[in-house]
Amino acid sequence: MNKKEVSAKVAGDVSLGGEISIHRLGYGAMRLTGAGIWGPPKDRKGALAVLRRAVELDVNFIDTADSYGPHASEELIAEALFPYPPGLVIATKGGWNRPGPNQWTHDASPSHLRAAVEGSLKRLRLDRIEVYQLHIPDPVVPFEASLETLAQLRNEGKIRLIGLSNVTQEHIERARKIVPIVSVQNRYSFADREWDYVVDYCQRNGIAFIPWFPLGAGKVAGDVLERIARAHQATPMQTAIAWLLRRSPIMLPIPGTSSIEHLEQNVAAASLRLSDEEYQKLFAVPALVASR
Ligand SMILES: NC(=O)c1ccc[n+]([C@@H]2O[C@H](COP(=O)([O-])OP(=O)(O)OC[C@H]3O[C@@H](n4cnc5c(N)ncnc54)[C@H](OP(=O)(O)O)[C@@H]3O)[C@@H](O)[C@H]2O)c1
């Protein structure tokens, strides 16, 4: 692994709807909040420093949501980085309410989404949100009603591009009848592949796929991963990120961390190249686990 060049540029670029090009290794800002994704961070200065370091390392895609904190993650991003450097894309989301730590209740109703977009614009100090993602379909709100609201907000100039999260292929197809969809964010890693078919669908349709939990929240391990990591003098985390980058050219990992050291390690993973054999060995891990 080339440890000298620690830059998100090394990961190459991915297009969002043919309109914006970003480096294919982003940063997830959910972990900057307090425990239970609730309240401000314990170490506020440290959280601001992580965000600034991400930009120094050429990260130009930051994922957040109004529900992280709630509000704390978006506020920290603005405090650390406003006025934003040219080309920085902040992708936020709406569709949850937060009654307390570790509690998430659906609300993707038109009135909630409209208020959520207004709130995010204010906290992020933006006139327009570059990428707005429906955080999750709401089981009691027609999916089309949520998407039509986002499409209207796009027509009003408050949102530039629209993404989805926690969706099936059917959701994506229904959404695309209403408005162009530039990204899909679902849980995914080499060991967690329920959404393989959605990754393939996104690749066929030029939609960026943003894997959340790309590191299994720090617990990705296993003999195969550790052996491959050792061979590259890399960490298991870096190897898991390298596998994602290799999985598809539309893959846009957003590893989350509150630590500068971990952030630097994660960005350095862009220069880790797995051999075909290593890639295939990791690809086969879920089947291996299932057969035990
Ligand atoms: N759309 C959704 O529903 C959804 C759901 C969850 C998350 N997300 C987004 O996806 C992003 C990433 O997901 P995630 O944060 O849940 O999971 P993750 O990136 O898989 O893991 C984050 C955890 O791994 C640790 N970590 C990170 N880098 C590490 C390293 N190099 N070495 C050791 N430990 C490391 C972090 O702890 P330290 O802080 O100690 O580094 C943190 O606890 C979030 O930040 C958020 O933006 C979206």
Side-chain angles (χ1 to χ4, degrees), residues 125-159:
R125 306 182 208 170
L126 290 169
D127 298 327
R128 182 179 69 169
I129 293 165
E130 294 292 276
V131 180
Y132 196 84
Q133 305 158 93
L134 178 65
H135 209 146
I136 189 165
D138 183 334
V140 301
V141 173
F143 183 63
E144 278 72 13
S146 303
L147 263 298
E148 275 158 15
T149 305
L150 296 185
Q152 278 163 16
L153 287 158
R154 181 170 168 266
N155 290 341
E156 291 165 26
K158 294 182 175 172
I159 294 175

Side-chain angles (χ1 to χ4, degrees), residues 28-31 63 68 93 135 165-166 185 212-218 237 254-259 262 265-266:
M30 182 180 84
R31 302 275 164 189
D63 179 75
Y68 299 163
K93 318 181 197 75
H135 209 146
S165 178
N166 302 302
Q185 183 171 153
W212 66 262
F213 233 32
L215 309 171
M237 295 295 182
I254 49 164
T257 179
S258 55
S259 138
H262 288 167
Q265 288 174 6
N266 296 344

Side-chain angles (χ1 to χ4, degrees), residues 218-266:
K219 293 194 181 72
V220 166
D223 295 347
V224 182
L225 185 68
E226 274 173 24
R227 226 176 307 125
I228 295 171
R230 262 200 308 276
H232 288 274
Q233 293 177 300
T235 69
M237 295 295 182
Q238 291 175 315
T239 311
I241 294 170
W243 184 88
L244 283 169
L245 289 171
R246 171 80 191 262
R247 169 67 176 82
S248 167
I250 49 84
M251 189 70 73
L252 168 57
I254 49 164
T257 179
S258 55
S259 138
I260 287 196
E261 191 190 343
H262 288 167
L263 171 74
E264 289 171 350
Q265 288 174 6
N266 296 344

